Amino acid sequence: MIRRLRRNRFAVECFLARDPRVAESANPGLEGGTALRLKAATIHETATRICSRDFLRLSCRLVDRLLFAYLLMETFYVTTPIYYANSLPHLGHLYTMIVADTIARQKRQQGIETFFLTGTDEHGINIERAAQRNNRTPKEQADYVVSYFKKMTAAFGLDTEHGGYNIFMRTTEPFHYAGVSEFWRRVAKAKTPKGRDALYKGHYEGWFCAACAAYKTEDEYAKPANPDEPPTCLVHETKLDRVSEESYFFRLSDYDEALLNLYESRPEFVLPDVRRNEVRSFVQSGLQDLSVSRLRTSVSWGVPVPDDPTHTMYVWFDALTNYITAIGFGNEQQQRAVGFEKFWPALHLVGKDILRFHAVYWPAFLMAAEVEQPRAIVAHGMWLDPNGRKMSKTIGNTIELDVLNKHFSTDAIRYFCLRDMVFGQDGRFGYENLIDRTNSDLASGLGNLSSRTLTMIQRYCDGRIPQRNISDEGLLLAKRAGVDTDEAAVSDFVAHARDEFIRHFDKFAFSRALEEAWGIVARVDKMISDAKPWDLAKDASQRQTLNAVLYRAAESLRWLSVLLYPVMPNAARNAYAQLGLTDDPSKIHPGDLKWGELSEGVETGEIKPLFPRIDKAKTMEEIENQESGVRSQGPGAAETRPSGRVQGSGQHATEADAVPSTAGETPALPVKKEALPGQNETGEGLIEITDFSKIDLRVGEVRSAERIPKADKLLLITVDIGEEKSRQILAGIAQYYEPEKLVGRKIVVVANLKPRKLRGYESQGMLLAASVGEEGKPVIATFAEDVPNGARLK
Ligand code: MSP
């Protein structure tokens, strides 16, 4: 209460002062000030409107009390990025939603009214192109992707029905058009901190990446080998578009000092620290004005610029504004339904890939429009594949949600995402790691602790929560049995771990928080193993000792269920119910937990395993088959892709369906049933698809090639296969290929071959070539179409 009071002091003072401006001058710069000020002002206005002055004076005390109570209500607003509606979500998108959902559940659990936004970014050239490829209108394309998103969020328990997001925001909503137009008008009227117009018309000339929806400077693209071709985006490895046209510009260059002041005065504005430093250096290195519109003739799928319909808004200007239009900025509909003043400012959770848009452009737009800055921008790291490359549709190494959903419980996925990835840093995803963690931490750890405790309560205590206390006479006996008679040894440990859990959680250190919770699991496991309840049960004089041990275990499980609810809602609720408790852990503030409040004598519930063990070999095989099944259907089989547990009557959208076929999607080998040439009918000599998938074949681009002294057959080649560093490969092709002519060529590389040394050089892979004629002349395998580096052949 005191904490809340302090946080809302400003609003309360504003209200009591009856004039927000009075309070404002007395309390400059208090966090969240504007929102609370507005809140106080709105309430004051409404109260005055509905009550006559005299009545207000008479009932002043009552009104004050009610309004005071209202002001004490804390609110919280958390957002994920809104995802492009050109392609289907994968683990990366799911991850941000899981983190946001976990934060939202924790806030709600603490009694804070919380609004959680996720959604789709539906305008721009990228969506327009995806629609064209799929023979749809852009809106149909967006609807199609959104329907998959909704099924997916429902399947993973992230939708409203399951206590997840409050809004699935779409930038094609009419209320968004109204809000973003109002926002544009405000910016158009604004002066920069240096006194110039914030918006002006000019001419843009440069390169644009449709996939990033961003203009690219020279250090952000790779120059082509052939100067007639466009450069390639370093992020997506796709060709850039040349843009040369009239455009509205936002005078970002005038906002450098204001932004630096913002980062300085609010060190928690961009988190973690390492990201704040990156953003600061970016701003310090000098900001360029930003093109914020495209001619309608080149990008028609977007929000028209107010008062100039020949232009459409730059998709990031449109998309970022969703965070405020969703709660009512510039439109009546959402203002009535949600309330801008009630929830703004938000905590924006984003991947580090889009930090600049959120921590530089968005704050500058908000400054121009005179809207309060977000609460914070918190950037997480990227999920990488087991080889350390960012998951991306273009490379084809994404983790499919259908596969995840079919083989793993949502709680296991949530736990894995939060435990395995150190928040803020990149993490590598492997199904085997997910299975190992599920089996060790969940099935053998928490799950086993819960089932062994409840089974013993069932067996030795008639299925009722046993008595907590040991009488004075019993203490000696308990000591004799080696049981610590000081209950506080356990309860203090659990309470300390709870405090640490909350402390880490509030700093987004989810992995550390979970370590603390698993510290409790280990501590209680040890307590049980040391006390050996199965032996105590054989000795009638140790009845109290046995009861006390099992009570402590059950009470610890109650605490764990409450603590872990935001991370694993289903398992936490199950564990809680199995203790015989009928209230809901989602409504208990972990800070309010008191040791000993588990009521004795309560009948425990039916024991069900919280986390069934996963058969690793079997599941891995099924996953591989499912993945190769998806692949072997190829792009044409879009609508029939297995959907796992994503239920619904409509068609299932697929990546193949939504992603450009030119973006590195390699049609997969059809799995043939008949014998292949060279093999007999019984299939001898044939390999399984799983054998083939062990070979990691990648598209590479030769960066350099040179002869090796005194080795006339070998060339030393460096190849870019989409990893941070190029690979060095020795190839026996020197007699047939001129090294210079190889540079820039796309080749096929075996990327997971053990490195070996030849003539003192390490070869880190092998290139594929046909062996032609009697002398075995090598002819390098290559591609007729453009393919990105690192794309997998499968
Ligand atoms: N539409 C923009 C965002 C506009 S917000 C006003 C966009 N969309 S996106 O579809 O590309 O989504 C990017 C976000 O998806 C990342 O910032 C991150 O939240 C999530 N991820 C996508 N791939 C990811 C990983 N490989 N790993 C972790 N998160 C990833 O950018």
Side-chain angles (χ1 to χ4, degrees), residues 80-87 90-97 120-122 127 149 211-213 236 315-316 318-323 349-355 357-358 380-384 389-392 398 421 426-427:
T80 71
I82 49 168
Y83 305 106
Y84 289 129
N86 66 321
S87 63
H90 55 71
L91 171 74
H93 306 99
L94 179 72
Y95 174 67
T96 319
M97 286 192 257
T120 37
D121 182 354
E122 303 188 1
I127 283 96
F149 255 101
C212 298
H236 290 94
V315 63
W316 272 101
D318 163 9
L320 287 162
T321 310
N322 96 88
Y323 298 134
L349 194 65
V350 299
K352 66 177 188 186
D353 54 332
I354 53 171
L355 181 61
F357 300 93
H358 284 81
H380 63 70
M382 295 284 133
W383 279 106
L384 310 174
R389 286 157 337 130
K390 190 192 152 193
M391 261 172 219
S392 114
T398 54
M421 171 104 113
D426 293 346

Side-chain angles (χ1 to χ4, degrees), residues 376-658:
I377 291 132
V378 182
H380 63 70
M382 295 284 133
W383 279 106
L384 310 174
D385 69 13
N387 296 320
R389 286 157 337 130
K390 190 192 152 193
M391 261 172 219
S392 114
K393 303 262 178 187
T394 38
I395 296 179
N397 59 351
T398 54
I399 296 296
E400 299 301 325
L401 299 185
D402 283 349
V403 178
L404 274 181
N405 187 45
K406 174 151 190 244
H407 299 281
F408 303 95
S409 74
T410 54
D411 282 343
I413 297 165
R414 290 169 75 103
Y415 173 76
F416 178 80
C417 283
L418 293 163
R419 175 67 184 83
D420 227 60
M421 171 104 113
V422 174
F423 188 85
Q425 293 175 22
D426 293 346
R428 291 184 189 210
F429 183 91
Y431 285 114
E432 300 205 348
N433 300 348
L434 170 55
I435 297 174
D436 290 343
R437 272 231 181 261
T438 307
N439 285 344
S440 63
D441 297 12
L442 300 181
S444 305
L446 178 62
N448 185 48
L449 175 64
S450 169
S451 62
R452 81 194 285 217
T453 303
L454 288 160
T455 309
M456 287 190 284
I457 291 179
Q458 196 104 74
R459 196 170 297 157
Y460 308 132
C461 311
D462 219 11
R464 291 186 180 275
I465 299 293
Q467 275 186 348
R468 171 185 172 194
N469 291 326
I470 307 177
S471 64
D472 289 346
E473 305 89 77
L475 289 178
L476 207 63
L477 285 165
K479 254 195 198 131
R480 230 179 266 155
V483 173
D484 194 342
T485 48
D486 183 12
E487 189 189 19
V490 179
S491 63
D492 285 356
F493 183 96
V494 173
H496 177 72
R498 180 268 317 266
D499 296 344
E500 287 297 287
F501 180 96
I502 298 175
R503 195 172 67 80
H504 290 305
F505 202 104
D506 287 347
K507 291 199 302 188
F508 310 101
F510 305 109
S511 189
R512 286 285 298 113
L514 289 167
E515 269 177 40
E516 291 293 340
W518 260 256
I520 301 180
V521 175
R523 177 71 181 78
V524 179
D525 256 336
K526 184 169 181 315
M527 177 192 75
I528 295 175
S529 306
D530 290 348
K532 300 191 189 63
W534 43 94
D535 285 345
L536 296 175
K538 290 180 201 147
D539 180 351
S541 68
Q542 290 291 10
R543 181 82 237 166
Q544 287 190 343
T545 316
L546 172 67
N547 284 348
V549 168
L550 293 180
Y551 182 92
R552 291 171 198 177
E555 176 63 335
S556 305
L557 279 166
R558 182 176 74 98
W559 282 51
L560 277 168
S561 310
V562 171
L563 220 49
L564 293 175
Y565 162 77
V567 176
M568 38 178 81
N570 297 327
R573 281 200 170 112
N574 277 343
Y576 199 78
Q578 290 187 35
L579 289 168
L581 298 166
T582 48
D583 53 343
D584 188 345
S586 73
K587 297 198 170 65
I588 301 171
H589 191 320
D592 293 342
L593 282 168
K594 294 211 172 39
W595 184 266
E597 285 191 347
L598 177 65
S599 304
E600 297 167 359
V602 171
E603 197 175 333
T604 54
E606 191 194 335
I607 308 171
K608 284 181 249 147
L610 293 180
F611 307 99
R613 278 192 83 72
I614 299 177
D615 179 335
K616 188 167 173 182
K618 184 166 161 267
T619 307
M620 285 308 294
E621 199 186 326
E622 281 170 11
I623 290 174
E624 271 154 23
N625 288 340
Q626 190 182 356
E627 286 194 321
S628 56
V630 171
R631 277 187 245 128
S632 66
Q633 288 168 29
E639 322 285 334
T640 54
R641 182 172 139 189
S643 64
R645 275 186 278 121
V646 178
Q647 299 297 324
S649 53
Q651 298 164 331
H652 290 288
T654 72
E655 176 186 332
D657 177 65

